[in-house]
Amino acid sequence: VQTCALPICPSHTERTLERLARCHDADASLLYIYCDGPKPGSSSSDLNKIEQVRRIVRSKKWCADTIIIEHPTNLGLEKSISGGITEVINRHGRAIIIEDDVLCGLHFLRYCNAALEKFRDDERVMQISGFMYPHQRPLPEYYFTRTPFIWGWATWKRAWDRNRLWLTPSIIRAIRSLCSATRKISGRPGARSA
């Protein structure tokens, strides 16, 4: 069984899940969906959005099996995402991570699973990415870069344990800023493809 983790925020969720469900290998995948809870003092509008997302998440069996974790309170971005990934990786030794605003290509899961196997014991490889900025020249099937792309990616416990220590709140803010700037440069607001 292949394992996927999907941290959820209240936007784009249904489109992301629909695309994921159509991926090759989705019918052999175990999907964990993490739904963060409301912040203290959330408005009724925010509570309704959270409940709407949870109804969408519960509405179908998106993969071969789906495990939904609904937090009663807001853990925040760093704890929710990092905690969910850590939980899945500790249980399965590896994970494919898709945020709720990523639209997967049909071959995304198959590509990640094949690369997770191929590079499983290669200590030089810390992450498999399903995203790359558009290029003018053709790229090989696999190539190496020092830049981690977080729009649909996969990793192993050995890599996650070694590198999650640097994922501090200031680093997360910097990554968010870079991601925001990248969307503005590319002219592609909203959902990103992996």
Side-chain angles (χ1 to χ4, degrees), residues 6-173:
L6 181 66
I8 290 289
C9 302
S11 61
H12 308 299
T13 302
E14 190 165 18
R15 286 188 338 164
T16 296
L17 287 168
E18 292 286 353
R19 289 285 290 268
L20 178 64
R22 289 196 307 258
C23 281
H24 303 299
D25 292 347
D27 59 350
S29 294
L30 169 60
L31 174 64
Y32 287 84
I33 302 176
Y34 288 85
C35 298
D36 209 356
K39 294 178 181 177
S42 291
S43 69
S44 60
S45 173
D46 287 340
L47 294 173
N48 286 337
K49 287 178 187 174
I50 290 168
E51 186 52 38
Q52 179 183 9
V53 167
R54 290 179 176 192
R55 275 195 303 271
I56 291 168
V57 164
R58 293 184 214 122
S59 70
K60 292 183 185 175
K61 183 177 162 188
W62 300 100
C63 289
D65 199 8
T66 302
I67 297 171
I68 302 166
I69 296 89
E70 296 179 355
H71 295 291
T73 59
N74 188 275
L75 300 179
L77 182 66
E78 196 257 330
K79 284 184 182 174
S80 180
I81 293 176
S82 179
I85 294 169
T86 299
E87 184 178 326
V88 170
I89 284 180
N90 284 342
R91 190 171 290 158
H92 299 281
R94 67 189 203 176
I96 299 169
I97 299 91
I98 308 159
E99 290 189 46
D100 75 327
D101 60 347
V102 172
L103 300 177
C104 302
L106 290 176
H107 301 285
F108 172 73
L109 290 177
R110 187 167 288 165
Y111 169 80
C112 285
N113 284 316
L116 282 167
E117 280 302 310
K118 180 179 180 102
F119 299 106
R120 177 183 53 212
D121 299 320
D122 190 335
E123 292 290 327
R124 299 171 302 162
V125 180
M126 304 301 278
Q127 178 205 43
I128 307 302
S129 179
F131 173 82
M132 183 56 193
Y133 295 105
H135 276 270
Q136 298 301 319
R137 59 185 162 82
L139 295 171
E141 183 178 7
Y142 296 105
Y143 64 94
F144 298 94
T145 177
R146 294 186 186 274
T147 307
F149 296 113
I150 58 169
W151 302 305
W153 57 285
T155 194
W156 306 264
K157 181 172 175 32
R158 65 166 171 79
W160 183 249
D161 287 347
R162 214 162 88 192
N163 283 313
R164 71 184 164 125
L165 300 176
W166 66 267
L167 204 57
T168 64
S170 61
I171 294 293
I172 290 170
R173 282 191 299 277

